[in-house]
Amino acid sequence: MKTIIEPFKIKMVEPIRYTTRKEREEILKGAHYNLFMVKAEDILLDLLTDSGTAAMSASQWAGIMLGDESYAGSRSFFRFENQIKKITGLKHVIPTHQGRAAEHILFSLLGGKGKVIPNNTHFDTTRANVEFSGAEAVDLYIDEGRIPSVDHPFKGNMDLGKLEDLIKRVGSDRIPLAMVTITNNSGGGQPVSLANIRGMKEILSRHAIPLFIDACRFAENSYFIKLREDGYGDKSVLEIAQEIFSYADGCTMSAKKDGLANMGGFLALNDDVLAERARTHLILTEGFPTYGGLAGRDMEAIVVGLEEALDEHYLEYRLASARYLGKKLRQAGFDIFEPPGAHAIYIDAQALLPHIPPTQYPGQALVAEMYLEAGIRAVEIGSVMFGRRDQESGQEKPADLELVRLAIPRRVYTQSHVDFLAEALQNVYDRKDAIKGMKITHETQYLRHFTAKFERVE
Ligand SMILES: *Cc1c(COP(=O)(O)O)cnc(C)c1O
């Protein structure tokens, strides 16, 4: 059989609401051209994020009913802890309400002024938590990963030479940990190879620097390894995941991605002293160590979700969905970040809109246009999200790339939704030369993309 089908049937449906173009014009203006400020019910196809948007399975909903809501020693916590230990082999499991809470605890303990944290690419909340602690966040992914058109099986890889150089330049005592993000969400959702993770670990061990994994999409990354890396074709995805984590001293994870849950996350680590300090911090900011920021039922949904995310029929379908959307957009004329990852397709907005300079946010302009066309919501991953404004001069340093991400919620949309999406984007493509740039009229210092206000540049 050539056709890869959704490996599930639909048990419950949720209507989506159509709007008129005139309504969308008003909605967009009212939201100051920031799609984060548009109400979800005014969206037809919501590709803003794959985070917390998964459709849960019947088994997960059944798990919800089994949640043990005891304050201390909840049965659901021990199931959660066992599941995460089975996959990661890490000794201490600390539940948090989502990924960034795990990051916040980790960098409150290990970050701080003068410290430097390397990563292939820091995700926006990771970078914000590193910088908020006073430390410096450094992105060291390979040069191929910076060029959207280049084909490479593991474009999310860390540049090991650059990692060695950084350690030489700043000294290992200033690097309390190194991270690797699998898959590399802010770098096109590209996977990282096991050879690369092993190489990283080898370098870091020599300098006694711990390796932490940002594990949000570990199952998708593991499946890419199975398909693309020599020697892994016959291994199960679980075995591959276990090998990845065997090189880690710890991890942070948002269960809203490959946990297939709508909320949740965790910090896991081997160091006993650090774990005790993390739990103390957890009690201050999240909750008692056997629930952290979660209800017992949330932990049950994650236990089942982590199992289902490692199912190879699910992963085959998941990767096929992204490939299909990528193929449709390529046919429409778009340059996309090649090759497609698993959780999203990224359009090269700068290639599409060469007449809009990075300081006028081509990605934001495209996102607004897609909403106007058909009520589609996507997100800018470019200078709005990663540009750096000098607080004194007001001058802005643009991001490396101006991308628009179409994230694919897990198990939510069908192939005809994608066909509709492609038709709408074809219309946007056909009038690309008339699309105008944007300017920011209001912003905050951290994570400005969530709340920034824009106007069209006339
Ligand atoms: C989503 C995400 C996070 C943060 O997780 P939240 O649950 O949104 O707080 C961190 N890193 C990566 C790579 C992510 O995709």
Side-chain angles (χ1 to χ4, degrees), residues 64-104:
I64 294 260
M65 295 305 294
L66 296 172
D68 175 0
E69 305 304 342
S70 303
Y71 191 97
S74 155
R75 179 183 64 238
S76 302
F77 170 75
F78 295 111
R79 281 170 42 74
F80 180 82
E81 186 185 42
N82 274 341
Q83 177 70 295
I84 292 161
K85 281 188 177 173
K86 182 181 94 182
I87 297 168
T88 67
L90 293 163
K91 193 168 164 195
H92 301 281
V93 176
I94 297 171
T96 58
H97 79 278
Q98 55 184 100
R100 70 197 66 185
E103 294 167 353
H104 186 72

Side-chain angles (χ1 to χ4, degrees), residues 279-326:
R279 288 195 178 106
T280 305
H281 206 292
L282 186 81
I283 293 174
L284 281 177
T285 57
E286 294 277 297
F288 187 74
T290 59
Y291 70 86
L294 296 172
R297 55 180 171 273
D298 296 330
M299 292 189 278
E300 293 286 345
I302 295 166
V303 169
V304 179
L306 287 170
E307 198 78 33
E308 292 178 350
L310 289 165
D311 177 273
E312 298 186 15
H313 288 297
Y314 160 74
L315 286 165
E316 180 187 42
Y317 139 79
R318 177 85 181 136
L319 267 60
S321 311
R323 265 200 318 275
Y324 183 74
L325 174 57

Side-chain angles (χ1 to χ4, degrees), residues 98-100 103 123 125 181 185 214 216-217 254 256-257:
Q98 55 184 100
R100 70 197 66 185
E103 294 167 353
F123 181 65
T125 61
T181 304
N185 188 4
D214 180 339
C216 295
R217 297 178 184 78
S254 169
K256 301 170 72 172
K257 321 307 181 19

Side-chain angles (χ1 to χ4, degrees), residues 122-124 126-128 131 137 139 361 382-391 393-400 443-449:
H122 289 273
F123 181 65
D124 58 353
T126 322
R127 172 173 285 276
E131 291 177 351
D139 294 340
Y361 314 116
S383 291
V384 175
M385 193 179 273
F386 290 116
R388 281 283 162 273
R389 172 120 33 219
D390 186 284
Q391 293 300 317
S393 68
Q395 290 287 7
E396 199 167 0
K397 185 175 165 287
D400 290 349
E443 67 179 23
T444 53
Q445 194 182 344
Y446 294 102
L447 301 173
R448 67 175 179 179
H449 54 285

Side-chain angles (χ1 to χ4, degrees), residues 184-204:
N184 193 20
N185 188 4
S186 301
Q190 298 294 319
V192 178
S193 72
L194 252 168
N196 191 251
I197 295 171
R198 223 180 283 122
M200 234 177 285
K201 180 64 184 173
E202 197 269 312
I203 293 168
L204 295 168

